[in-house]
């Protein structure tokens, strides 16, 4: 039996050779209707996708629903994955993130979200908001990269990505003009890209 | 929008944080300028790395089984955007307890129909279902195939039927049996349609509509056998389409009948 050891869908060899996009290869097979490839892709990425969805949504049963929606969307639209436009892993996690945020913005989820973040009822200073989100950052490489960002940029990115807040919501939350939030997000993401060595 | 303005938005897009207005403007510019796509890709890759900061959480094992069953059924794969199943339809199929605001879909403009149709079909089934019951079908039988099929269904141990009322007083009953694998629709009081139109039958399965044949009616009555096997959980739907059936293979109008068979 062939045992393939894969970490999160991307092998990054020590010698610095091109990384192998296992998730991307599986997606190409999924696009051809390969159910076994779909099962492997699910096994490879569903724990990470579920962790992300759960982080954004908090509610477990809704997170399970969204995870199912995400993988059905992957099955149905794998043909739209373009290997020359990014990693398969990113493609999957992007779908998971968008679906999770869409759900958190829906009326059903707003109550949980208000309870969790406490923005609507409590007059939380925005420093506290960023702190609350930051406390739960665990990945070392990412947290190191985030730590290099000026506070306002980190706050804008974490509130958007993990909190599911839109730019205009963030502007209202932290009391800054929308244009300022856009710029912070732009500059912050660019800096993260450099820190984490993303090339394109 | 120039490239600088576009790049200002790609970060917010990658974080899924644009306002609806900004997102529309962004998508328009993106279509017009494929040469700017690398900005989108780079930011998407960067944003996806943020997911590395969350802990893996194993989803419940039952979810894997449910998904694999769904894809091994008839969930179609799409080559283009239009066939992506809306989240609302998936939720409706799974019968979650959260009520959906889908009845509003009936009054949405025609251009929204592609997005709302499946969810609407699912909700109609809930709205108009009036319970179980056999219906007298005797003289309405008009095609041998449907007569034979209806007999087969009604003699099966798992024969089921459900009747719904049409908005203008007609009645439509679906008869089906999973062991026989067939479904027949018996209609009375169907709306009058133009000579160049026909009724088209659909199975709505996992949020996707599968064509199941055409029928017409001279006097508002019809008995029609759906093409293809019925599967557990299918919604049987009828739309009015151009004669010969929907040219796209997908419904082009809202269903006049939607019956949930679960």
């Amino acid at each position: 039996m062939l045992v393939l050891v894969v970490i999160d869908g991307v092998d990054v060899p020590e010698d610095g050779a091109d990384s192998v996009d296992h998730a991307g290869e599986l997606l190409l097979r999924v696009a051809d209707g390969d159910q076994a490839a779909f099962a492997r892709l699910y096994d490879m990425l569903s724990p990470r996708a579920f962790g992300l969805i759960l982080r954004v949504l908090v509610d477990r049963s809704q997170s399970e629903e969204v995870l199912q929606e995400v993988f059905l969307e992957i099955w149905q639209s794998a043909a739209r994955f373009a290997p020359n436009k990014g990693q398969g892993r990113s493609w999957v996690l992007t779908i998971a993130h968008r679906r999770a945020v869409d759900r958190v913005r829906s009326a059903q989820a707003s109550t949980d979200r208000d309870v969790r973040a406490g923005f609507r009822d409590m007059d939380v200073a925005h420093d506290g908001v960023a702190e609350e989100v930051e406390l739960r950052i665990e990945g070392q490489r990412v947290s190191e990269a985030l730590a290099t960002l000026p506070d306002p940029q980190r706050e804008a990115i974490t509130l958007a990505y993990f909190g599911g807040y839109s730019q205009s919501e963030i502007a209202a939350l932290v009391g800054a003009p929308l244009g300022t939030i856009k710029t912070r997000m732009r500059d912050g993401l660019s800096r993260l890209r450099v820190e984490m060595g993303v090339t394109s | 929008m120039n490239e600088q303005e576009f790049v200002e938005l790609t970060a917010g897009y990658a974080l899924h944080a644009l306002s609806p207005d900004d997102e529309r403007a962004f998508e328009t510019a993106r279509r017009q300028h494929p040469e700017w796509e690398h900005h989108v890709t780079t930011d998407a890759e960067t944003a996806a790395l943020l997911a590395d900061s969350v802990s893996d959480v194993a989803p419940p094992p039952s979810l894997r089984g449910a998904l694999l069953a769904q894809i091994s059924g008839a969930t179609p794969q799409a080559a283009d955007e239009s066939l992506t199943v809306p989240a609302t339809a998936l939720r409706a199929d799974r019968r979650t307890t959260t009520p959906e605001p889908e009845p509003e879909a009936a009054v949405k403009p025609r251009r929204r129909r592609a997005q709302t149709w499946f969810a609407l079909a699912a909700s109609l089934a809930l709205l108009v279902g009036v319970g179980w019951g056999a219906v007298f079908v005797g003289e309405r039988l008009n095609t041998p195939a449907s007569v034979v099929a209806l007999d087969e269904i009604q003699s099966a141990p798992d024969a089921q039927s459900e009747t719904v009322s049409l908005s203008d007083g007609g009645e439509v009953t679906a008869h089906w049996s999973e062991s026989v694998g067939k479904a027949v629709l018996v209609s009375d009081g169907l709306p009058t349609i133009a000579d160049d139109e026909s009724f088209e039958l659909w199975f709505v399965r996992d949020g996707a509509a599968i064509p199941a044949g055409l029928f017409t009616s001279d006097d508002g009555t019809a008995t029609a056998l759906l093409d293809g096997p019925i599967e557990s959980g299918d919604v049987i739907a009828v739309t009015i389409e151009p004669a010969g059936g929907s040219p796209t293979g997908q419904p082009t109008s809202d269903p006049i009948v939607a019956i949930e068979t679960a």
Side-chain angles (χ1 to χ4, degrees), chain B residues 228-245:
Chain B
I230 185 167
E231 289 185 14
S232 175
D234 281 354
V235 172
I236 293 171
V238 179
T239 60
I240 298 171
E241 301 288 352

Side-chain angles (χ1 to χ4, degrees), chain B residues 117 121 185 200-204 226 235-239 255 257-259:
Chain B
W117 198 86
L185 208 63
E200 186 158 9
L201 294 155
W202 307 89
F203 288 117
V204 182
L226 279 81
V235 172
I236 293 171
V238 179
T239 60
V257 173
I259 299 176

Side-chain angles (χ1 to χ4, degrees), chain B residues 117-130 162-166 172 174 185 202 204 234-239 254-261:
Chain B
W117 198 86
F118 301 117
L120 178 67
S123 69
L124 270 183
L126 301 174
L127 288 176
V128 301
V130 295
E162 184 155 11
T163 302
V164 299
S165 300
L166 299 175
V172 178
L185 208 63
W202 307 89
V204 182
D234 281 354
V235 172
I236 293 171
V238 179
T239 60
D254 292 337
I256 59 168
V257 173
I259 299 176
E260 196 169 32
T261 66

Side-chain angles (χ1 to χ4, degrees), chain A residues 16 33 59 74 76 86 100 104 106 118 120 128-129 145-146 149 153-154 168:
Chain A
D59 181 272
I74 289 163
Q76 290 169 323
V104 90
S106 72
R120 308 281 159 82
V129 171
L146 279 169
L149 300 185
Q153 292 179 12
R154 181 169 58 249
S168 39

Side-chain angles (χ1 to χ4, degrees), chain A residues 30 43 47-48 65 68 75-76 80 87 89 98-99 102-103 105 108 138 167 182 186 193 200, chain B residues 7 10 16-17 22-23 42-43 45 52 55-56 64 70 77-78 80 84 87 91 94 96 98:
Chain A
V30 170
D43 293 341
R48 176 53 48 92
E65 287 176 21
Q68 190 166 7
W75 170 253
Q76 290 169 323
R80 284 198 290 277
Q87 300 270 350
R89 182 180 177 284
R98 292 186 79 83
R99 287 258 184 190
D102 285 344
R103 180 65 80 95
R105 286 182 189 159
Q108 300 97 304
E138 287 135 21
Q167 289 180 329
K182 288 180 176 175
R186 168 71 279 158
R193 184 187 73 220
S200 176
Chain B
V7 170
T10 52
H16 198 18
D22 279 345
E23 179 139 339
T42 306
D43 280 343
E45 292 285 312
D52 282 338
S55 308
D56 285 2
R64 184 183 197 272
Q70 271 177 295
Q77 289 187 294
D80 63 77
T84 301
R91 288 207 295 278
R94 297 189 62 233
T96 54
T98 314

